[in-house]
Amino acid sequence: MSFLAFLIFGGSVGIISAYLYPKKRLKLKDLLPYGLAGAAISFLVSFFGQTLGLFTSGQILEWSSALLLTILLVACLRALAGK
């Protein structure tokens, strides 16, 4: 995945998962940190997955693992931020 794909894919997944979290809805201006966290999580998943030899760049496993872990970790961040 390229750098631009990390920003677009991870950022949009982070924003969508933070917005759809079942607690109080966030305003659009409050979603920026979750978009940046989503991009960072997507980068880290791809980097460590390729380093450990789990997948190569561009495989569907890379995209799906980045998607699932970004949703999971942004939801955890959202849950911790609410307390």
Side-chain angles (χ1 to χ4, degrees):
M1 222 184 312
S2 68
F3 180 71
L4 187 59
F6 292 127
L7 288 178
I8 293 173
F9 179 75
S12 61
V13 169
I15 288 172
I16 291 169
S17 62
Y19 184 75
L20 295 178
Y21 189 75
K23 291 199 176 196
K24 182 181 172 188
R25 298 271 186 212
L26 292 174
K27 295 185 174 132
L28 288 177
K29 66 178 181 172
D30 299 330
L31 292 175
L32 181 64
Y34 295 106
L36 294 175
I41 292 167
S42 174
F43 169 75
L44 291 174
V45 168
S46 177
F47 177 76
F48 285 117
Q50 290 178 25
T51 302
L52 295 173
L54 300 174
F55 45 76
T56 61
S57 180
Q59 284 185 330
I60 194 67
L61 182 59
E62 178 187 22
W63 289 91
S64 60
S65 61
L67 173 76
L68 292 175
L69 284 174
T70 301
I71 291 172
L72 178 70
L73 293 177
V74 167
C76 290
L77 286 173
R78 180 88 161 97
L80 291 175
K83 292 184 177 181

